[in-house]
Amino acid sequence: MSLFLPRTLLAVGLLLTMNLPAQRAPAPALKVCDRAHTAANVRYPLQAASTAWFHVRLVEPGVYAIIEPYQFEEVISWLIVGSQRALLFDSGLGMMPIKPVVMQLTSLPVTVINSHTHFDHVGGNADFADVRAMSTPFTNARMAGYSHADVASEVSPAALCGNRPAGLDTTSFRSRPWSAAERIVDGTRFDLGARSLEVIATPGHTPDAISLLDRANGLLWTGDSFYAGPIWLFMPETDLDAYQRSMDRLAALVPSLRRVLPAHNVVSVAPAVLARVPKAIRDVRTGRARGTVPKPGQRLVPFKGFSILVAAKAVRAKR
């Protein structure tokens, strides 16, 4: 993945909030990549487990957003804690270790699953013994890690928003190999004790993309299938037909949802915004909504609360 376009072009103000007590850590000194996103996230209490690289915010009881706001991807990993176990949904960029943060938040056994296997969501996988993964050729190939050449642009001065965190060697950084203890499929359930989570296969952004549903609490984690910003749907592994079907499936859940919890930018988006995505992607593909050309071969189409970035060839020519 390279620096095609920052995910930080658009912010969403449609956030649901809770005023929850928590210990607050001193504000890290580095410069965040997007002030608007940070201002939206500050509504959620900053936890003492926060570090100079990670902002940890309590979104609901037992639901922690672990944000990396100093790299342009603004990745959000999610720790979901039950009474008996915990689940880490994505493990971040891998530029700084996420496991010590997780261990400060819970002493329970932790299972890791990934919203998909792009490098910015699997960076800490190698540090955990219990990683579960989809069984697709795309997943299997990416378990070998990403070379420095693959990710060098992600640690450039521009990508780090002018910051270079202590301990990060930008000349040799790579995403480490990892392995899966077990495989998961559409419908796999995780019983954490007093909380049950269900895997929903949502291919499109990648062949192995999944979302995570907590039906009892009305929570949906969407990974990179949906977030407040330019949704990247221009890569070779993207399948827009599959994405359309996946978004139709997620939109059908909206009446039962309280929060949508993405993997980039802002931690909580109103479900009503997600409900608009199926029509938006149809309008993009048919050429009804055409947007602009941010660089040759791409088209960026804005909508209320998000935008869609596709390969220009995916947009039907205007008649």
Side-chain angles (χ1 to χ4, degrees), residues 7 115-116 118 120-121 205 222-227 231 263-264:
R7 299 182 199 258
S115 62
H116 61 297
H118 280 155
D120 51 321
H121 300 275
H205 176 70
T222 53
D224 277 15
S225 293
F226 170 76
Y227 48 83
I231 303 170
H264 293 275

Side-chain angles (χ1 to χ4, degrees), residues 226 231 233 240 243-244 247-248 273-290 301-310 315:
F226 170 76
I231 303 170
L233 298 173
L240 289 180
Y243 183 77
Q244 183 76 70
M247 298 315 295
D248 287 344
V273 184
L274 173 63
R276 296 198 290 267
V277 177
K279 182 179 185 302
I281 189 62
R282 287 187 175 93
D283 286 349
V284 169
R285 298 182 73 190
T286 59
R288 185 174 301 171
R290 300 192 60 80
V301 187
F303 296 92
K304 187 178 179 181
F306 63 93
S307 58
I308 292 175
L309 182 64
V310 295
V315 178

Side-chain angles (χ1 to χ4, degrees), residues 79 98-108 110 128:
L79 181 67
I98 198 171
K99 187 175 181 180
V101 175
V102 171
M103 292 177 67
Q104 285 193 57
L105 295 168
T106 182
S107 60
L108 295 172
V110 177
F128 293 88

